[in-house]
Amino acid sequence: MTADIKRITTPLTDEVVQSLKCGDMVSLSGTIYTGRDAAHKMMVEMLERGEKLPVDWTAQVIYYAGPTPPKPGKVIGSCGPTTSGRMDAYSRQMMAQGLKGMIGKGPRSAEVIEAMKEYGVVYFAAIGGAAALIADSVKACEVVAFDELGPEAIRRLQVENYPCIVAIDAQGNDLYQKGVERYRLEEK
């Protein structure tokens, strides 16, 4: 891991995605979208019916979160990450739509990691327990699809210096696996 913070802006280019390495600390600025399992299920069903998705996912980043309503004077409420594995069943289809980054918490399945390598996608881990800090990085928020899903609607967020860590890079290097391996080595 490196102590340097990489400052990147969305949309993500292939060059930027390929430059990010497992363990890199990142400050992300630009547009990201929120979406959880209900929204993912609806989008995959739309694709199966041959319908156009409500968001052009080309070079975009999705944050697995369901923000709470904002308090007076705030742009967004608490917006901590949800468990990413809940989106694993839909991730390959989303990557096929051009998605370049995913943000959440927890490990991903071997199938998702293989798809990430195939499509050149990076998975960021949101900093656990930092929902208020994350909310402070959100400068604008609007629902763009599936308003009927409430907190699980797709939202477009404008973020500045959103803090995250590269958990799995586009080469398939997995911080969750490396952490376990490192712990075992230090245990001996």
Side-chain angles (χ1 to χ4, degrees), residues 10-25:
T10 64
L12 297 181
T13 64
D14 287 331
E15 181 181 2
V16 167
V17 169
Q18 294 300 324
S19 75
L20 295 170
K21 301 300 173 209
C22 175
D24 284 349
M25 295 189 311

Side-chain angles (χ1 to χ4, degrees), residues 34-51:
T34 65
R36 291 176 39 159
D37 40 330
H40 278 74
K41 181 178 189 287
M42 290 176 75
M43 287 189 288
V44 168
E45 289 171 350
M46 290 176 75
L47 290 171
E48 289 169 352
R49 292 189 302 265
E51 297 173 13

Side-chain angles (χ1 to χ4, degrees), residues 61-124:
V61 175
I62 192 159
Y63 177 31
Y64 303 140
T68 63
K71 292 183 178 174
K74 296 290 186 176
V75 172
I76 198 166
S78 177
C79 62
T82 196
T83 303
S84 301
R86 294 169 44 190
M87 271 53 71
D88 282 1
Y90 313 109
S91 294
R92 176 175 281 281
Q93 294 96 320
M94 296 305 297
M95 288 182 237
Q97 300 307 304
L99 184 70
K100 285 295 176 186
M102 302 171 284
I103 306 171
K105 69 177 180 182
R108 304 305 298 268
S109 69
E111 294 80 15
V112 168
I113 294 171
E114 282 307 310
M116 289 173 61
K117 290 166 34 180
E118 178 183 340
Y119 288 103
V121 176
V122 64
Y123 171 55
F124 301 100

